[in-house]
Structures are given as structure tokens and as C-alpha cells.
Amino acid sequence: MLRPDYPIRTERLTLRPFADGDYDDLHLMTGDPEVVRYLYWEVHTPQETRAALERRKGQAALTEEGQWLTLAMQAEPEGQPRVVGQVVLRWASVAHRQGELGFTLNPAFQGRGYAREAAEAMLRLGFEDLGLHRIYAACDTRNTASWGLLTRLGMRREAHFVEDEIFKGEYGDQYIYAMLDREWRSRQTSST
Ligand SMILES: CC(C)(COP(=O)(O)OP(=O)(O)OC[C@H]1O[C@@H](n2cnc3c(N)ncnc32)[C@H](O)[C@@H]1OP(=O)(O)O)[C@@H](O)C(=O)NCCC(=O)NCCS
């Protein structure tokens, strides 16, 4: 069970559940074809983004297997609070203590290290607060920005699945990256 104490603060970000006022910033991501290019869903209509916001508002805790913790990354890039991205942690297995990590940034705020900062905080929540043994992430092999970030986080490339599923109408390849709790701990020790 994980019920984080909000807001979670990192060096430049506030991580918190989505709220009613986040529609415009959320739609800048869900409505952008470049953002969804390697995601399972297609560009959202305004109505679909409103429904997505409602779902996200309810994803603030992990109480059972299969749930998603979905947090807004709030920053103040021009002195005003903006939701620049979202970061997710899925409780993939209770018995095996497994979690899945994911992240999305508004393109205007990519290339600043925000996703890395938020993902580190999610790894910390998963390993230190939820007690996970392994956290993994899956990405399209063409998504160099995604697997570059997973590499910078210190996750290992565990698998390259070749044409294991039909993605947006054609067979695609996926990488699986992962980190174990002991690898997380040794990274924390070596960085202090
Ligand atoms: C995947 C995604 C979140 C990566 O975003 P990103 O901005 O490249 O990732 P980071 O937050 O780690 O930022 C790293 C970049 O910021 C730069 N940077 C600038 N200031 C920085 C700082 N203070 N700290 C760290 N990095 C900084 C880094 O040099 C790096 O740039 P580079 O890629 O040109 O080398 C983004 O491409 C995205 O949202 N894609 C669409 C959704 C998606 O595909 N999600 C993944 C599904 S599997």
C-alpha cells in the first residue's frame, strides 16, 4: 500500500495528484501527435482529455495490484506554476513486488532534466515506500529519448522483444529496462 504525503518536492518539481485546473496543461500533452507517437493511445479529443483528467485525479494512491499512481509534474519554468509532465508507477505484482515506471513531458519542457528528476522520485517511492523488489519500463526501440532516460536513471536493458505485438497497425520492437532494489540502494550509497 502506498499513500504518499503530498506534495512531493524534488529540486525543481512538485509532484502531486492531478486536479481540476490541470486540463489545459494536460491537453497540451494528450493532444500532441509527437507526444503520443510511441504511447498506446492516439491523440485525445478535448472530451477524451477531460475523461483522462477525471481518471488521473483518482490515481493518487496504490492500494491494490494493477493500479496506477499518476502524478502531475509541476514546475515554475517562467515563474508561474505549470504542469510540465506526468509520471506514473503501476503496481504490477504484489506477490513478486514488481512495479512499472512511465513518464511523459510536454515537448516545450523536454531537454531540461525534468523527467529524470520525477522518475528518480518515483523509483524512490517504489523501492523505499512501497517496498518493491524490481521496477521495469517498456519502450519502443525507436523511442531514443525514452531509453536514453532509462539508461541515465541507471536501469539495465534486460530484453529486446522483436515484433512481439502489433503497435499502431504494424509489428514493432520493444526494450525492457529494469532496476532491482539492491541496485537502487547501491546507487544511493555511491552518490553520497
Ligand atoms: C521520454 C521523455 C519524457 C524524455 O524527456 P527528456 O526531456 O529527454 O528527458 P530528461 O528529463 O531526462 O531530460 C534530459 C535532457 O535534458 C538535458 N538537461 C538540461 N538541463 C538538465 C538538468 N538540469 N538536469 C538533467 N538534464 C538536463 C539533458 O542534457 C538531456 O538532453 P539530451 O537528451 O539532449 O542529452 C520525452 O521525450 C517524452 O515525453 N516523450 C513522449 C512520451 C513518451 O514517449 N514517453 C515514454 C514512453 S515509454
Side-chain angles (χ1 to χ4, degrees):
M1 164 103 71
L2 177 64
R3 286 187 189 281
D5 209 1
Y6 296 116
I8 298 165
R9 299 207 191 273
T10 65
E11 198 185 328
R12 296 171 297 170
L13 298 172
T14 298
L15 302 181
R16 54 151 179 89
F18 274 87
D20 283 330
D22 296 332
Y23 169 81
D24 289 340
D25 279 335
L26 181 59
H27 194 62
L28 287 173
M29 294 184 275
T30 56
D32 186 322
E34 268 310 298
V35 169
V36 306
R37 185 161 166 208
Y38 297 118
L39 303 181
Y40 281 109
W41 31 276
E42 299 292 349
V43 166
H44 282 5
T45 62
Q47 198 179 2
E48 286 169 334
T49 298
R50 271 188 209 96
L53 179 58
E54 282 309 305
R55 279 196 304 279
R56 281 164 175 72
K57 280 164 51 188
Q59 294 173 337
L62 294 176
T63 57
E64 55 187 69
E65 182 172 296
Q67 288 178 333
W68 293 87
L69 182 74
T70 304
L71 301 183
M73 299 180 207
Q74 184 180 301
E76 298 200 7
E78 285 104 29
Q80 292 296 319
R82 292 284 307 272
V83 172
V84 297
Q86 68 167 21
V87 64
V88 300
L89 180 68
R90 186 173 72 92
W91 201 357
S93 166
V94 172
H96 303 289
R97 293 165 48 214
Q98 307 282 310
E100 180 176 1
L101 177 70
F103 29 69
T104 304
L105 282 176
N106 174 334
F109 302 112
Q110 292 177 12
R112 304 184 192 200
Y114 285 148
R116 178 175 180 173
E117 206 171 303
E120 292 261 3
M122 292 304 255
L123 290 173
R124 175 166 289 107
L125 279 180
F127 287 125
E128 298 182 14
D129 297 349
L130 187 57
L132 293 175
H133 174 61
R134 174 175 168 274
I135 298 179
Y136 67 91
C139 74
D140 191 296
T141 57
R142 295 167 297 178
N143 195 349
T144 52
S146 179
W147 60 259
L149 168 54
L150 294 167
T151 306
R152 288 193 296 279
L153 286 167
M155 297 174 81
R156 281 171 292 99
R157 185 183 292 175
E158 283 191 342
H160 177 174
F161 293 138
V162 180
E163 299 188 11
D164 63 321
E165 60 180 28
I166 295 171
F167 177 74
K168 300 199 169 173
E170 58 182 8
Y171 278 109
D173 288 11
Q174 287 193 83
Y175 289 141
I176 303 294
Y177 279 74
M179 182 184 283
L180 298 174
D181 49 0
R182 60 177 177 271
E183 293 170 326
W184 168 257
R185 282 194 303 273
S186 81
R187 276 179 73 83
Q188 302 312 298
T189 315
S190 60
S191 64
T192 52

